[in-house]
């Protein structure tokens, strides 16, 4: 969509910042944005028409340009009451604050709350100090006179930095006047100062205020209507009416009230400041997510990640593009050909796993090779399906010709996914359309340039079944190698094989084709090639995850903010990583499967700009997940509720008692707390040693992964019978998790002797015994007995000599 933003685009103040933030966001969503200065209406003829014109604070009718959609994002303090008739010219009047909405709602029925956002200034590398910061910039309405009078009259001894391009005649001691600073220096000041003073007379939004919240500062604001709706502020200062401006009343904070707020701030303990920092960050992140969701809604696009119930986000609010998806959720309900409803009606068992592949017409030659390789799968063709999503449609039929849906031994579904925004491929939208059209309970998100080896599907299903049998639900990803040829050379070399359709010709072709080394696993001691095998993986950076459909739904699918270039898969994997850190799932590298990445042409420079923005946004959200932002905590609660049915749906067709012996929500939570408890003892006991740790018994996979991460040691899992087969002095530590509970004295003695035999002389032996009762978190110390909870988990650490 072509969007014009009209405002004072170069005033060096809040309006310019509004324009740059909003414009960059819309561009990253695939729109073409042009900024127009409201005092230069003659410039509109040189840039062409627009589908939407957004006026920021100002209105110039000549710049509307006959656009079919016109929005106004006003500031109530700068809108004149006599300009009321102009509001009828707008499709929407979007208010940044609810206070502004209360002033515009009586004037027009088109007013609604939008919110806004400011730049994230968080920089944990900057050391914090108990000093104050005040950022009026180029404005004289930020209460700077009260701040300076407070420092002058009451001789406040605490340091204050004032960042302003204006000259202030009052120069108290302990005040540093920074003048106009660049963005890097401003970010430093915002993170270095624990306390931010924002006693503005009125704030239409307040970038300095919200940037202070993003930096985790203790923000001090007036106790007025506009400020009362902003969460996360540390203190609210009394304010008296000061006058009127535009549609609003202004207020002023007295110097004495500034002094009192400063003294109260300095009385905060370090624990108080940590709580304030968390609350400030939460408020900033929540407000930003809320604003982006509102903007998606008014643009007429469906947010995949934000807003609403997390558990239903993947299915509700389908966009216009979803309405045309063949065999999708809407098709299932109607019983369309190829739908789940038809499969149920005919008695045909649905496939167990769906391979979802988005494809742009330009990559159709690679898709043909990817689908051809699937004919050689050792798994039964009825056990898997292929869902090819045409990203942006398939006007020339190249994708359909490459997939050949009618000639494959497995089910192939072709799904049209009209591109919702912009000229670039939109992989997130395509992947969401694909998994909704799939019938299987397991979803494998692939790319059109990935060749799977013959054993891939069989091994993936086998490892998923093994994980469920262990009671450790897993997300898998294959190891990945790359064809080390230029795109043209690979297409030429494989052309004969792709044209012949002979699947047996793939092996000699690859034997003569140079490949890189691929992604190594975490453990070099693997079984023979050909046996299904996986090992713990801290994350799925290859971005080809195999996930239960219910968990994809609970996560809201792929966030459609991201267009492509890998960031969309990375952002989805970050969500999975957050679920893993909550001990709800395991993540494993499918080391018996080495997929191949075919070479393709590099993206255009214009697309790389979008890719770069996507990577920055993905990094920001990953930090929020790691920080435990409020929106993520709410999402995690919904995932906990959805996890059990999601896993049950992905389990093989067997009696419930056999297929899922230990995946109830209570059991998952108990296992997660067991892991945390044992880890609290294992970390200090094992840190500083070298060698490997052997883990046996309850939650062994989770314990091995966490101990390896915390202690920096190699960790492997062994069975009770496999313990006897290990050679002496094989490990520096052994964790026996739960296997001694209920054992006879003879059995206990035998297992302990086996464990002591394989531990080096310097190694500890950790024994985690599970009893009945409730689970509670606990902590222990190494070197002796450490009871973590008498009712549930008892952990004992002993030194072993051989």
């Amino acid at each position: 969509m072509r969007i014009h933003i009209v405002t004072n685009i170069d005033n060096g103040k809040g309006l310019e910042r509004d324009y740059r933030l909003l414009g960059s966001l819309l561009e990253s969503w695939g729109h073409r944005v042009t900024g127009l200065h409201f005092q230069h209406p003659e410039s509109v003829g040189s840039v062409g028409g627009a589908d939407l014109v957004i006026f920021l604070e100002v209105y110039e009718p000549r710049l509307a340009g006959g656009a079919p959609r016109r929005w106004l994002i006003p500031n109530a303090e700068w809108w004149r009451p006599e300009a009321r008739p102009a509001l009828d010219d707008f499709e929407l009047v979007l208010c940044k604050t609810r206070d502004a909405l209360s002033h515009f709602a009586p004037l027009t029925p088109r007013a609604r709350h939008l919110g806004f956002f400011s730049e994230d200034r968080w920089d944990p590398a900057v050391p914090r100090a108990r000093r104050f910061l005040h950022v009026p910039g180029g404005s004289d309405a930020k209460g700077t006179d009260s701040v300076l009078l407070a420092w002058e009259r009451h001789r406040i001894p605490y340091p204050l930095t004032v960042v302003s391009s204006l000259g202030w005649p009052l120069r108290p001691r302990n005040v540093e006047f920074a003048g106009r600073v660049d963005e890097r220096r401003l970010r430093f000041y915002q993170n270095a100062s624990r306390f931010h003073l924002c006693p503005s007379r009125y704030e239409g939004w307040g970038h300095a205020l919200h940037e202070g919240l993003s930096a985790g500062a203790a923000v001090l604001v007036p106790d007025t209507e506009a400020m009362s709706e902003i969460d996360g502020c540390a203190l609210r200062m009394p304010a008296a009416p000061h006058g009127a401006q535009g549609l609003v009343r202004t207020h002023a904070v007295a110097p004495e009230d500034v002094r009192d707020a400063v003294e109260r701030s300095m009385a905060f303990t370090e624990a108080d400041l940590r709580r304030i920092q968390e609350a400030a960050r939460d408020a900033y992140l929540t407000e930003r997510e809320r604003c982006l969701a509102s903007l998606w809604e008014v643009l007429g696009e469906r947010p995949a990640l934000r807003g609403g119930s997390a558990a239903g986000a993947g299915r509700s609010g389908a966009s216009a593009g979803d309405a045309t998806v063949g065999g999708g959720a809407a098709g299932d309900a109607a019983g369309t050909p190829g739908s789940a409803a038809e499969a149920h009606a005919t008695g045909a068992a649905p496939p167990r796993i769906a391979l979802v592949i988005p494809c742009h017409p330009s990559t159709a030659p690679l898709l043909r090779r990817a689908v051809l390789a699937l004919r050689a799968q050792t798994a039964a063709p009825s056990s898997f399906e292929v869902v090819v999503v045409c990203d942006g449609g398939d006007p020339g039929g190249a994708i359909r010709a490459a997939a050949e849906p009618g000639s494959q031994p497995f089910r192939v579904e072709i799904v049209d996914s009209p591109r919702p925004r912009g000229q670039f491929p939109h992989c997130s939208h395509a992947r969401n359309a694909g998994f909704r059209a799939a019938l299987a309970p397991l979803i494998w998100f692939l790319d059109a340039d990935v060749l799977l080896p013959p054993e891939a599907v069989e091994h993936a299903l086998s490892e998923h079944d093994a994980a469920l049998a262990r009671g450790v639900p897993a997300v898998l990803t294959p190891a990945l190698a790359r064809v080390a040829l230029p795109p043209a050379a690979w297409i030429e070399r494989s052309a004969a094989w792709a044209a012949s359709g002979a699947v047996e010709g793939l092996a000699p072709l690859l034997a003569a084709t140079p490949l890189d080394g691929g992604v190594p696993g975490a453990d070099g001691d693997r079984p023979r090639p050909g046996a299904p095998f996986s090992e713990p993986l801290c994350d799925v950076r290859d971005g080809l995850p195999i996930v239960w459909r219910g968990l994809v739904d609970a996560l809201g699918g792929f966030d459609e903010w991201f267009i492509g270039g890998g960031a969309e898969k990375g952002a989805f994997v970050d969500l999975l990583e957050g679920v893993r850190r909550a001990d709800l799932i395991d993540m494993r590298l499918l080391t018996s499967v080495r997929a191949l990445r075919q070479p393709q042409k590099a993206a255009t420079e214009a697309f790389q700009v979008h890719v770069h923005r996507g990577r920055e946004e993905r990094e920001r959200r990953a930090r929020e997940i790691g920080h435990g932002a409020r929106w993520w905590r709410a999402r995690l609660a919904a995932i906990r509720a959805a996890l059990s049915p999601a896993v049950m749906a992905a389990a093989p067709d067997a009696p419930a008692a056999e297929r899922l012996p230990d995946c109830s929500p209570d059991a998952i939570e108990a296992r997660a707390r067991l892991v945390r408890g044992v880890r609290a003892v294992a970390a200090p006991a094992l840190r500083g040693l070298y060698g490997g740790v052997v883990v046996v018994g309850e939650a062994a996979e989770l314990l091995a992964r966490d101990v390896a991460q915390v202690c920096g040691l190699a960790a492997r899992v062994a069975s009770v019978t496999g313990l006897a087969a290990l050679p002496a002095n094989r490990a520096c530590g052994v964790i026996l998790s739960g296997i001694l509970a209920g054992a006879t004295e003879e059995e206990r003695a035998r297992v302990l002797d086996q464990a002591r035999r394989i531990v080096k002389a310097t190694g500890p032996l950790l024994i985690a015994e599970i009893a009945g009762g409730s689970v509670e978190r606990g902590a222990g110390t190494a070197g002796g007995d450490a009871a973590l909870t008498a009712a549930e988990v008892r952990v004992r650490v002993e030194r072993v000599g051989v």
Side-chain angles (χ1 to χ4, degrees):
M1 187 160 56
R2 294 166 300 175
I3 301 177
H4 291 171
I5 300 179
V6 179
T7 190
N8 195 339
I9 61 176
D10 56 5
N11 70 343
K13 299 180 182 178
L15 276 182
E16 180 180 350
R17 182 162 294 183
D18 287 355
Y19 156 65
R20 297 194 182 280
L21 284 169
L22 183 59
S24 296
L25 176 66
L26 293 173
E27 284 182 345
S28 68
W29 286 357
H31 301 289
R32 286 177 287 173
V33 178
T34 302
L36 300 178
H37 199 292
F38 76 106
Q39 292 178 330
H40 304 145
E42 67 280 357
S43 63
V44 72
S46 62
V47 296
D51 303 304
L52 168 65
V53 179
I54 302 175
F55 293 89
L56 281 176
E57 186 180 298
V58 300
Y59 180 41
E60 172 51 63
R62 289 175 292 175
L63 289 175
R69 304 176 71 184
R70 281 176 280 185
W71 295 353
L72 173 67
I73 304 180
N75 279 27
E77 72 272 30
W78 298 110
W79 189 263
R80 294 173 287 107
E82 57 270 21
R84 155 69 187 85
L87 297 177
D88 296 333
D89 294 342
F90 299 102
E91 174 193 32
L92 289 173
V93 177
L94 303 172
C95 301
K96 300 177 186 177
T97 65
R98 298 198 178 277
D99 183 69
L101 179 63
S102 69
H103 295 290
F104 281 98
L107 303 180
T108 174
R110 301 181 180 90
R112 62 173 295 171
H113 179 247
L114 173 69
F116 212 74
F117 61 97
S118 297
E119 185 178 344
D120 190 349
R121 298 290 190 168
W122 173 255
D123 187 351
V126 177
R128 268 65 174 170
R130 286 179 173 261
R131 56 182 301 122
F132 291 82
L133 177 68
H134 175 58
V135 186
S139 173
D140 59 358
K142 304 296 184 182
T144 310
D145 48 356
S146 295
V147 172
L148 296 180
L149 279 172
W151 252 258
E152 177 71 17
R153 289 180 184 174
H154 304 290
R155 300 185 179 277
I156 296 177
Y158 312 119
L160 165 70
T161 300
V162 176
V163 179
S164 175
S165 58
L166 304 179
W168 299 94
L170 196 60
R171 298 274 169 160
R173 66 188 184 90
N174 286 333
V175 177
E176 172 194 4
F177 290 87
R180 184 186 293 273
V181 298
D182 58 27
E183 291 296 312
R184 182 187 61 83
R185 192 65 180 169
L186 178 59
R187 182 186 294 268
F188 173 80
Y189 282 132
Q190 289 171 322
N191 283 274
S193 305
R194 281 283 182 85
F195 309 105
H196 290 204
L197 283 165
C198 302
S200 304
R201 295 174 189 167
Y202 186 84
E203 283 291 3
W205 176 250
H207 286 292
L209 189 161
H210 287 85
E211 287 172 1
L213 293 175
S214 75
V219 180
L220 286 58
V221 299
D223 189 10
T224 58
E225 293 90 346
M227 303 293 191
S228 62
E229 65 187 80
I230 301 174
D231 295 330
C233 297
L235 286 177
R236 302 187 185 275
M237 301 174 282
H242 181 267
Q245 182 178 341
L247 302 178
V248 305
R249 293 178 300 171
T250 60
H251 295 77
V253 178
E256 289 71 26
D257 293 320
V258 173
R259 175 204 58 194
D260 293 344
V262 168
E263 294 297 338
R264 289 170 59 195
S265 299
M266 293 302 294
F268 288 141
T269 65
E270 287 301 311
D272 292 334
L273 290 175
R274 283 194 295 271
R275 286 193 295 270
I276 289 170
Q277 175 176 295
E278 182 177 352
R281 285 286 296 166
D282 267 352
Y284 166 79
L285 297 173
T286 301
E287 179 60 35
R288 188 182 193 279
E289 290 295 321
R290 187 183 296 126
C291 170
L292 296 184
S294 298
L295 189 56
W296 273 70
E297 183 179 351
V298 297
L299 281 169
E301 298 170 339
R302 181 182 61 82
L305 179 64
R306 308 173 186 87
S309 168
R315 293 283 184 187
S316 62
S319 67
D322 294 331
T324 64
V325 174
D332 289 351
T336 57
S339 68
E342 183 191 26
H344 179 73
T346 59
R352 292 192 56 198
I353 186 169
L355 282 57
V356 174
I357 308 175
C359 184
H360 186 263
S362 64
T363 57
L366 300 181
L367 174 70
R368 177 173 181 78
R369 289 155 175 77
V371 175
L372 177 59
L374 294 176
R375 295 183 186 177
Q377 289 298 310
T378 57
S382 60
S383 65
F384 67 96
E385 63 177 330
V386 178
V387 181
V388 177
V389 188
C390 304
D391 179 14
D394 187 22
I399 297 176
R400 185 172 295 274
E404 297 182 335
S407 63
Q408 308 296 353
F410 40 81
R411 176 180 182 265
V412 177
E413 179 79 1
I414 304 295
V415 176
D416 286 328
S417 175
R419 200 168 299 147
R421 303 187 303 271
Q423 58 181 317
F424 302 120
H426 198 301
C427 297
S428 292
H429 191 274
R431 287 191 174 90
N432 287 338
F435 94 80
R436 294 188 189 105
L439 306 181
L442 277 175
I443 308 295
W444 192 343
F445 292 103
L446 294 171
D447 293 325
D449 60 349
V450 172
L451 293 173
L452 289 183
E455 70 278 1
V457 173
E458 180 185 1
H459 286 200
L461 292 174
S462 176
E463 283 303 289
H464 259 288
D465 295 348
L468 293 174
R470 291 192 302 265
V472 185
V475 170
L476 296 173
T477 189
L480 194 67
R482 299 177 186 277
V483 175
L485 289 175
W490 165 249
I491 293 294
E492 180 181 359
R493 184 171 297 190
S494 60
W497 168 72
S500 68
V503 295
E504 61 273 8
L506 179 59
L509 171 65
L510 294 176
T513 299
L515 304 175
D516 69 4
V519 178
D523 186 356
D525 186 14
R526 298 179 186 145
R528 298 186 311 274
F533 189 72
S534 65
E535 58 192 33
L537 182 70
C538 60
D539 53 25
V540 192
R541 293 306 166 195
D542 290 340
L544 303 176
I546 309 171
V547 196
W548 323 290
R549 183 194 193 100
L551 183 55
V552 180
D553 269 329
L555 288 169
F558 284 77
D559 188 348
E560 294 178 11
W561 186 94
F562 297 96
I563 295 176
E568 82 290 348
K569 290 184 293 185
F572 183 73
V573 166
D574 291 336
L575 297 177
L576 294 173
E577 173 67 8
V579 178
R580 185 202 67 79
R581 283 199 297 265
D583 291 323
L584 297 179
I585 62 172
D586 195 6
M587 299 174 81
R588 301 183 65 82
L589 183 70
L590 190 58
T591 48
S592 57
V593 173
R594 188 174 73 156
L596 300 179
R597 178 81 74 184
Q598 303 176 72
Q600 59 176 300
K601 296 179 181 179
T604 63
E605 184 177 351
F607 183 61
Q608 288 294 349
V609 172
H610 289 269
V611 170
H612 180 69
R613 288 173 177 159
R615 288 172 181 166
E616 290 181 338
E617 176 67 8
R618 178 220 167 166
E619 291 171 0
R620 184 192 68 79
R621 295 192 191 180
R623 291 195 299 269
E624 295 178 11
I625 293 172
H627 173 72
R630 185 182 304 172
W631 69 267
W632 172 243
R633 295 200 301 268
R635 180 64 51 85
L636 201 57
I639 293 169
R640 287 179 187 274
L643 182 62
S644 182
V647 175
M648 294 294 290
D653 188 14
E658 298 178 12
R659 68 182 181 182
L660 208 58
D662 196 22
C663 276
S664 66
D666 289 342
I668 291 173
E669 180 63 20
R671 193 163 52 248
R673 292 181 179 177
L674 166 65
V675 170
R676 290 193 292 264
V678 175
R679 183 173 52 190
V681 176
L686 297 174
R687 189 176 291 119
L689 299 177
Y690 28 141
V693 178
V694 178
V695 187
V696 185
E698 176 74 13
E701 299 284 352
L702 294 174
L703 285 172
R705 181 199 65 210
D706 283 346
V707 169
Q709 282 186 329
V710 173
C711 307
L713 296 171
R716 64 174 299 172
V717 176
S719 63
V720 179
T721 55
L723 201 61
L726 292 175
N729 290 344
R730 175 62 183 256
C732 70
V734 176
I735 298 177
L736 304 175
S737 173
I739 64 173
L740 301 182
T744 66
E745 288 299 324
E746 182 180 353
E747 291 170 336
R748 289 174 61 87
R750 186 183 74 252
V751 172
L752 290 175
D753 287 344
Q754 292 172 349
R756 293 187 178 102
R757 180 183 55 82
I758 66 173
V759 175
K760 296 177 182 177
T762 58
L765 174 66
L766 283 80
I767 306 168
E769 298 185 59
I770 304 176
S774 60
V775 184
E776 298 177 2
R777 289 191 66 177
T781 57
D785 290 347
L788 290 188
T789 38
E792 166 58 0
V793 182
R794 292 189 297 274
V795 177
R796 179 160 54 87
V797 181
E798 62 179 65
R799 291 285 170 180
V800 179
V802 293

